[in-house]
Amino acid sequence: DGGITQSPKYLFRKEGQNVTLSCEQNLNHDAMYWYRQDPGQGLRLIYYSQIVNDFQKGDIAEGYSVSREKKESFPLTVTSAQKNPTAFYLCASIDWGVVNTEAFFGQGTRLTVV
Amino acid sequence: DAKTTQPNSMESNEEEPVHLPCNHSTISGTDYIHWYRQLPSQGPEYVIHGLTSNVNNRMASLAIAEDRKSSTLILHRATLRDAAVYYCILRDAGIGYSGAGSYQLTFGKGTKLSVIP
């Protein structure tokens, strides 16, 4: 089955450590996205990538980094520079080449700083 | 980016219809209106989309105003499983047509729907 997979589902990090969240899709989508969601809030865009080896900052990119070396993978690193990293992180992908298809989301990674 | 405005929360009694509104006054001609919903602790899932005409599928109906500046997601009979946050977003189809347009997918805060048994 085609889909988008995030791992791990739960992640704990000590203050001052970098941590990388995984996002993999087998939908053959060029575009991928990372969002952050805080309790009771909507989705805020961190980074997005339109194509391999290219990505752009979203609204809240500070303290995060990404790479897009393969079409299937778009990992997000939460660096020690991110002052309040505890949140629910969501990855999505979409095929912009088809004019009316929808975005697909992973099930999320819940990051907690301890 | 074209933005959408939704009420923060709504309530409905079980088995009654629910009308969830969305305003998108700056919508462009190539923007599709998409609706997603997010159950607790899960990623959002697609519900329905439309361009100009009203749309129906097994999950919901979408009514689009004639000037396209607003739309309404209709759940015909709310169930407890419909309790979720509903997001209305604009999806630029210009990229698919011509390669030009915004690749951003912007979600707002959505509407939290509570269903009362």
Side-chain angles (χ1 to χ4, degrees):
Chain A
D1 284 288
I4 184 165
T5 302
Q6 290 186 242
S7 61
K9 188 170 183 179
Y10 298 96
L11 189 57
F12 296 88
R13 187 195 93 174
K14 292 183 179 179
E15 282 192 32
Q17 287 182 338
N18 292 355
V19 64
T20 298
L21 283 59
S22 170
C23 178
E24 303 277 332
Q25 53 98 359
N26 61 1
L27 299 165
N28 201 35
H29 290 172
D30 283 317
M32 296 185 73
Y33 300 78
W34 274 106
Y35 296 90
R36 169 181 172 140
Q37 187 173 38
D38 293 287
Q41 302 297 312
L43 279 63
R44 292 187 290 168
L45 183 63
I46 305 172
Y47 268 99
Y48 63 103
S49 168
Q50 298 165 205
I51 201 166
V52 173
N53 293 323
D54 186 41
F55 48 83
Q56 286 78 41
K57 293 181 179 180
D59 299 320
I60 57 165
E62 186 176 350
Y64 299 98
S65 65
V66 293
S67 62
R68 188 82 189 279
E69 298 176 1
K70 299 187 299 182
K71 189 175 188 177
E72 306 80 33
S73 179
F74 189 40
L76 173 74
T77 296
V78 184
T79 75
S80 56
Q82 171 49 239
K83 297 305 178 189
N84 186 20
T86 295
F88 188 49
Y89 291 87
L90 286 159
C91 179
S93 70
I94 190 169
D95 183 354
W96 285 102
V98 182
V99 297
N100 59 1
T101 55
E102 70 270 29
F104 291 82
F105 281 83
Q107 288 303 297
T109 293
R110 191 168 299 280
L111 174 64
T112 303
V113 173
V114 296
Chain B
D1 289 336
K3 296 288 190 278
T4 62
T5 304
Q6 300 176 253
N8 290 334
S9 62
M10 292 184 65
E11 275 188 358
S12 173
N13 293 319
E14 196 176 9
E15 299 190 2
E16 289 188 356
V18 183
H19 291 231
L20 298 165
C22 181
N23 288 320
H24 28 79
S25 58
T26 59
I27 191 170
S28 75
T30 55
D31 283 331
Y32 276 78
I33 302 157
H34 277 231
W35 283 81
Y36 293 78
R37 73 177 187 181
Q38 184 179 22
L39 300 173
S41 297
Q42 294 189 25
E45 62 175 350
Y46 166 80
V47 177
I48 200 168
H49 75 271
L51 183 63
T52 56
S53 304
N54 295 343
V55 184
N56 299 296
N57 67 19
R58 63 177 179 81
M59 291 180 72
S61 296
L62 177 60
I64 301 173
E66 195 170 337
D67 63 5
R68 302 211 321 127
K69 293 185 177 182
S70 65
S71 61
T72 302
L73 179 71
I74 303 166
L75 307 178
H76 294 286
R77 286 185 64 198
T79 70
L80 296 178
R81 288 175 295 179
D82 291 322
V85 178
Y86 288 79
Y87 297 96
C88 164
I89 73 165
L90 300 181
R91 190 259 203 236
D92 188 354
I95 296 167
Y97 288 126
S98 66
S102 171
Y103 284 84
Q104 284 207 15
L105 279 179
T106 302
F107 287 74
K109 295 183 178 180
T111 296
K112 182 176 182 179
L113 175 66
S114 300
V115 179
I116 303 167

